[in-house]
Amino acid sequence: MTNNILINQKIKDFEKKIEVAGDKSLSIRWILFASIAKGKSIAHNLLLSEDVIAAINAVKKLGVKVKLNKNNCIIIGKGPSGYKYKKNITINSENSGTLSRLIMGLLIDTPYKIKIIGDKSLSKRDFNRIAEPLKKFGADIKLTNKGLPLTIKGVENPLPINYLENKGSAQVKSSIILAGLKTEGKTFIKAKPSRNHTELLCKYLKLPLKVKKKKNYDLIVLEKAQKIKPLNYKIPSDISSAAFFIVLTALSNNSKLLIKNININPSRIGIITILKKMGVNIKFKNKKNYKGELVADILITSSKNLRAINCPPKLNSGAIDEFLIIFLVAAKASGVSYFKDIGELNQKESPRLKWGAKILSKMGIKTITTDNSIKIFGNPNLKINKKIVIKNYLKDHRVFMTSVIAALVFGGTWDIHDKDSIKTSFPTFLDIINDLKK
């Protein structure tokens, strides 16, 4: 069976309502929190992607009971100290940076060495940024060329730490929080603002964690959690998945789309702020608070007269997973768009900043790139009449999905390899595309 997709027709106008997959960040966090809660936690709309299945398999290896049903997932946790540590455990994180990095925090008290492995893409990513703070707690961590495979051996009585997180990495911050919840005494984190799903879950579960918002950073203070109550949760849908359909609709000729029940956590909607500044027609409907997270339906209509943007760096952390798809809007905007301080993109599943520039170049869009910035010279009249091949991109799911949207919007003949890459985050992506074509 072929693992590539050939697209040679632009999408026709559509007016539809859709639902996208459950939020990946929240799905993995629910699994990890449920695994250290005391009692039965139930989740609905859990994203059943390879990354999430890897998280389920990881907690199973630590002695946690998990039952995956047709309509829900049940986890029976035994409390913060309930993991059954055995010798020679290997946890396979597959492609998931969230799982591999966050679970290291939960392993802060393992008496035996645990090995963490991942796929080719994940193995190349920087794990020193996680090892550094966890070593301060007392963990013994050995990396392979700053990446995977790694081994971690915990400590019986972790030491509370005072740590400066200045990369804006929610994964680093969350790993430290999870370790701090297993540590006597006060742990202090001075963190550059980033996604705050972990903090919101802690707040909802009434765990001993406080966040003070300062001008340029968050001060997080936490103590050991003696008990964590079970969490019954309907996972809101993922704005990172919705982003592809937001841009597809915005760049279509005359289309309208309603995307239901999306997590619009303020630390995740940088893409909405950026696209509105560029002239995209987006509205929130039926906004509500669900267990600490803001949720809404998103209404998008096709947008004319798109404007270039000099993107404020303060929006970067809230759009870090969406920049590839934002670049397509910049390609059709009038003027030169400038995105700076986005070197963190190259720490993702593939060097995404480089791949963003490569896709735009193949499309005939001029760019000027550095290691942490890109200028995109927009062409509102862009039409593609050639063949474009996208391959050898470390199976980065967002490169694949961005390429599909580009093909449907700008035309040409696109041969896009490794379509199974979407299994890591959004297995139903092509199903929804096909539904919009009907």
Side-chain angles (χ1 to χ4, degrees):
M1 186 176 171
T2 181
N3 193 28
N4 63 333
I5 183 171
L6 195 69
I7 300 174
N8 54 20
Q9 278 189 318
K10 291 167 72 169
I11 196 164
K12 294 183 175 129
D13 294 337
F14 53 85
E15 186 169 335
K16 297 262 187 176
K17 292 180 186 177
I18 63 169
E19 290 193 40
V20 298
D23 189 285
K24 184 170 72 159
S25 295
L26 287 174
S27 292
I28 292 173
R29 282 167 172 80
W30 175 80
I31 291 165
L32 297 180
F33 273 94
S35 77
I36 57 171
K38 181 74 171 173
K40 181 165 79 171
S41 296
I42 305 172
H44 297 270
N45 199 38
L46 191 74
L47 173 65
L48 293 179
S49 70
E50 288 179 346
D51 284 2
V52 177
I53 298 297
I56 288 173
N57 291 335
V59 299
K60 277 183 174 179
K61 285 212 168 180
L62 298 168
V64 177
K65 287 185 180 178
V66 182
K67 188 176 182 185
L68 194 54
N69 303 309
K70 185 178 179 182
N71 297 318
N72 63 28
C73 180
I74 298 171
I75 291 181
I76 313 292
K78 294 184 178 177
S81 303
Y83 286 166
K84 287 182 183 173
Y85 292 122
K86 296 177 182 176
K87 291 181 179 178
N88 302 317
I89 290 176
T90 297
I91 290 173
N92 188 345
S93 296
E94 301 289 352
N95 185 253
S96 179
T98 302
L99 168 61
S100 52
R101 288 168 168 166
L102 268 60
I103 204 164
M104 286 174 70
L106 289 178
L107 299 178
I108 199 69
D109 58 352
T110 170
Y112 305 118
K113 277 185 186 176
I114 291 179
K115 188 175 186 180
I116 298 178
I117 62 173
D119 68 6
K120 185 179 177 182
S121 167
L122 183 63
S123 298
K124 290 182 176 180
R125 292 173 70 178
D126 177 16
F127 279 78
N128 200 46
R129 56 171 59 187
I130 303 289
E132 184 185 311
L134 295 186
K135 283 177 179 178
K136 291 179 182 291
F137 280 97
D140 180 16
I141 300 171
K142 291 183 171 57
L143 307 175
T144 306
N145 298 323
K146 292 189 177 180
L148 301 182
L150 66 77
T151 60
I152 177 169
K153 183 177 183 292
V155 59
E156 187 176 352
N157 295 304
L159 299 169
I161 69 168
N162 193 327
Y163 195 75
L164 172 65
E165 194 296 297
N166 58 8
K167 291 183 171 65
S169 169
Q171 293 175 355
V172 174
K173 175 179 66 175
S174 296
S175 191
I176 298 169
I177 288 172
L178 292 172
L181 291 175
K182 288 189 164 194
T183 301
E184 293 284 359
K186 286 188 177 181
T187 291
F188 294 84
I189 311 165
K190 185 178 177 181
K192 188 176 176 180
S194 60
R195 294 181 182 185
N196 66 345
H197 299 305
T198 303
E199 296 96 304
L200 290 178
L201 275 173
C202 287
K203 184 179 178 182
Y204 176 74
L205 292 167
K206 295 184 167 58
L207 299 182
L209 178 145
K210 290 182 180 176
V211 181
K212 292 180 182 175
K213 296 272 183 191
K214 304 291 185 179
K215 186 178 179 182
N216 297 314
Y217 65 91
D218 295 337
L219 180 62
I220 302 167
V221 184
L222 67 146
E223 297 181 61
K224 186 172 184 176
Q226 303 300 331
K227 186 179 179 183
I228 299 175
K229 66 183 181 182
L231 178 61
N232 294 337
Y233 206 34
K234 182 181 178 184
I235 312 287
S237 293
D238 198 329
I239 196 162
S240 294
S241 298
F244 297 99
F245 300 102
I246 291 171
V247 169
L248 176 63
T249 308
L251 298 184
S252 296
N253 186 46
N254 188 21
S255 296
K256 186 176 182 180
L257 186 66
L258 186 72
I259 313 176
K260 303 281 286 180
N261 199 45
I262 297 293
N263 176 5
I264 57 162
N265 178 310
S267 70
R268 289 286 296 281
I269 58 170
I271 181 171
I272 303 295
T273 307
I274 291 167
L275 293 185
K276 280 185 173 182
K277 285 177 181 289
M278 298 180 80
V280 175
N281 301 318
I282 305 175
K283 291 179 182 173
F284 291 144
K285 303 274 189 181
N286 304 318
K287 195 188 289 191
K288 60 182 182 285
N289 190 301
Y290 178 72
K291 299 194 176 181
E293 293 282 355
L294 278 176
V295 175
D297 301 336
I298 301 180
L299 179 67
I300 315 100
T301 54
S302 296
S303 308
K304 312 300 179 191
N305 304 318
L306 295 167
R307 303 181 291 273
I309 186 173
N310 186 345
C311 188
K314 68 181 181 182
L315 297 177
N316 290 354
S317 67
I320 198 67
D321 281 337
E322 289 76 54
F323 272 113
L324 282 184
I325 198 73
I326 291 169
F327 292 168
L328 294 188
V329 181
K332 199 173 181 181
S334 178
V336 180
S337 292
Y338 184 38
F339 303 89
K340 63 183 177 182
D341 298 342
I342 54 172
E344 183 72 9
L345 279 183
N346 287 329
Q347 299 298 324
K348 294 291 182 176
E349 285 86 333
S350 70
R352 277 191 192 151
L353 180 52
K354 292 176 183 175
W355 263 103
K358 190 178 286 190
I359 292 168
L360 294 173
S361 174
K362 286 174 181 282
M363 290 166 50
I365 292 291
K366 179 185 173 184
T367 65
I368 298 174
T369 57
T370 69
D371 286 343
N372 72 346
S373 71
I374 184 168
K375 280 185 179 177
I376 300 171
F377 294 74
N379 178 1
N381 301 311
L382 178 66
K383 289 181 178 63
I384 298 172
N385 298 304
K386 61 181 179 178
K387 183 170 184 180
I388 294 175
V389 179
I390 305 292
K391 61 181 181 179
N392 300 328
Y393 54 87
L394 289 172
K395 295 188 176 183
D396 183 344
H397 48 125
R398 300 201 195 281
V399 171
F400 176 86
M401 292 186 280
T402 299
S403 301
V404 169
I405 301 303
L408 292 170
V409 167
F410 295 112
T413 299
W414 292 64
D415 181 7
I416 310 167
H417 291 223
D418 293 320
K419 70 180 179 184
D420 64 358
S421 62
I422 60 175
K423 291 178 182 176
T424 64
S425 71
F426 196 179
T428 58
F429 171 73
L430 290 174
D431 298 331
I432 297 174
I433 291 287
N434 290 331
D435 181 54
L436 294 177
K437 286 180 177 178
K438 289 175 183 174

